Amino acid sequence: MKYLMLVCVDPDLVPDENDGAPDIEEWFAQVKENHVVGSRTRPGADATTVRVRDRQVLLTDGPYAETKDLMAGFDVIDCADLDEAVAIASKHPMAYRGVIELRPFWPFEQD
């Protein structure tokens, strides 16, 4: 099962250097067998939201979601089950300093 890991920051949180968060390179070395792809993303201010209403394309600058936590990147991991995905996500540095949201992929053939 593939999972999308949304890596989010909490702008109100001031990280503590002694919080026990691993280095991102350490995390990647531990999970490289499960890691499919990942990257940072530009800040929400650089986002463009696309909608089509009445056959018209509507663009909005910035992110659509109004949330406290801001997406900073993503990873796609391939795991046996949710327990394995949680184990991997809980070792990511941003689990200590922000939020990791796990979303399982929903293949079209599973409708």
Side-chain angles (χ1 to χ4, degrees):
M1 169 74 70
K2 287 191 176 85
Y3 289 85
L4 174 64
M5 286 180 37
L6 293 176
V7 179
C8 302
V9 296
D10 180 346
D12 296 332
L13 180 67
V14 178
D16 178 357
E17 290 184 20
N18 298 319
D19 62 6
D23 183 74
I24 191 67
E25 285 84 16
E26 290 174 33
W27 175 80
F28 183 72
Q30 292 176 8
V31 303
K32 64 184 172 186
E33 291 179 14
N34 299 88
H35 196 260
V36 177
V37 66
S39 185
R40 297 183 304 167
T41 57
R42 299 284 308 163
D46 293 343
T48 300
T49 302
V50 179
R51 295 179 189 80
V52 177
R53 301 293 184 268
D54 296 322
R55 298 178 191 256
Q56 296 292 325
V57 176
L58 306 174
L59 302 178
T60 305
D61 290 337
Y64 172 72
E66 295 292 328
T67 63
K68 180 179 138 187
D69 301 314
L70 305 171
M71 187 176 79
F74 72 94
D75 291 280
V76 175
I77 54 177
D78 195 358
C79 302
D81 54 29
L82 180 59
D83 290 337
E84 185 178 20
V86 168
I88 288 172
S90 68
K91 294 175 186 165
H92 193 285
M94 289 307 294
Y96 293 75
R97 299 180 177 149
V99 176
I100 302 290
E101 179 179 329
L102 289 171
R103 297 252 185 126
F105 279 35
W106 190 5
F108 287 104
E109 62 274 5
Q110 290 183 353
D111 283 342

